[in-house]
């Protein structure tokens, strides 16, 4: 029968060119890739599309994935507008945490911009026919190893 699937809170949605992207869906696809241990998905402001999907990714020690390989793999599971346009690869100890073990989103967003490998949004603009728009997004974080567990 029919089922309802919870994709995330509306305040967490990233609105890119008028389309809503649930950060949790992108995180789930990232974590399904061999070699990805932890992932965060956040919006980046964009004057053309409103927001862009970006990702901070932590890889397993043995992984040789890079941003291009991650994007190529995501094309198998996600619509083009959901694939992060900017991907930054970090070590877990580089992620900025609050004292209560939550990610400092503003700091992580700056780090993604500084380190991330981005693509020109025109690369996939032709494949999605959605209009322009913008909405504040919060982002999502899901990992296989929760740093709060390690630090407690």
């Amino acid at each position: 029968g029919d089922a309802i699937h919870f994709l995330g809170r509306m305040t967490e949605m990233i609105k890119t060119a008028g389309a809503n992207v649930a950060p949790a869906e992108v995180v789930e696809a990232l974590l399904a890739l061999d070699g990805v241990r932890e992932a965060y998905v956040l919006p980046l402001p964009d004057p053309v599309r409103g927001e862009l999907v970006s990702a901070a990714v932590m890889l397993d020690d043995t992984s040789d994935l890079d941003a291009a390989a991650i994007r190529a793999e995501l094309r198998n599971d996600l619509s083009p507008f959901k694939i992060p346009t900017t991907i930054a690869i970090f070590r877990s100890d580089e992620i900025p945490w609050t004292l209560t073990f939550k990610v400092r989103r503003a700091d992580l967003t700056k780090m993604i911009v500084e380190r991330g490998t981005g693509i020109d949004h025109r690369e996939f603009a032709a494949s999605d026919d959605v209009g322009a728009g913008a909405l504040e997004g919060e982002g999502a974080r899901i990992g296989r190893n929760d740093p709060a567990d390690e630090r407690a």
Side-chain angles (χ1 to χ4, degrees):
D2 293 333
I4 296 174
H5 298 279
F6 178 75
L7 295 177
R9 294 185 174 114
M10 284 302 294
T11 59
E12 293 178 348
M13 291 291 178
I14 297 171
K15 192 152 187 175
T16 182
N20 287 329
V21 177
E25 178 183 6
V26 180
V27 168
E28 185 178 329
L30 285 164
L31 291 176
L33 302 179
D34 285 336
V36 174
R37 185 167 61 93
E38 200 170 330
Y40 303 84
V41 174
L42 297 163
L44 293 180
D46 181 74
V48 175
R49 300 175 70 80
E51 292 178 325
L52 297 175
V53 180
S54 72
V57 176
M58 279 60 60
L59 301 174
D60 293 334
D61 293 335
T62 58
S63 177
D64 61 353
L65 287 172
D66 62 12
I70 291 169
R71 269 192 218 91
E73 289 292 324
L74 290 176
R75 285 187 185 100
N76 297 323
D77 298 314
L78 295 174
S79 298
F81 68 92
K82 295 179 182 181
I83 296 172
T85 56
T86 301
I87 297 175
I89 297 174
F90 296 97
R91 294 184 323 268
S92 286
D93 64 348
E94 294 178 294
I95 301 300
W97 300 101
T98 67
L99 294 175
T100 57
F101 303 108
K102 294 181 181 176
V103 172
R104 292 192 322 250
R105 296 174 193 273
D107 292 345
L108 185 57
T109 299
K110 288 178 192 172
M111 292 169 66
I112 291 170
V113 169
E114 291 169 2
R115 184 180 297 187
T117 302
I119 60 171
D120 187 330
H121 71 272
R122 292 172 291 193
E123 178 179 317
F124 60 88
S127 63
D128 65 26
D129 56 346
V130 291
L135 177 70
E136 285 296 315
E138 289 289 320
R141 180 239 178 237
I142 300 175
R144 292 192 177 122
N145 297 323
D146 188 6
D149 294 339
E150 295 172 11
R151 294 185 177 129

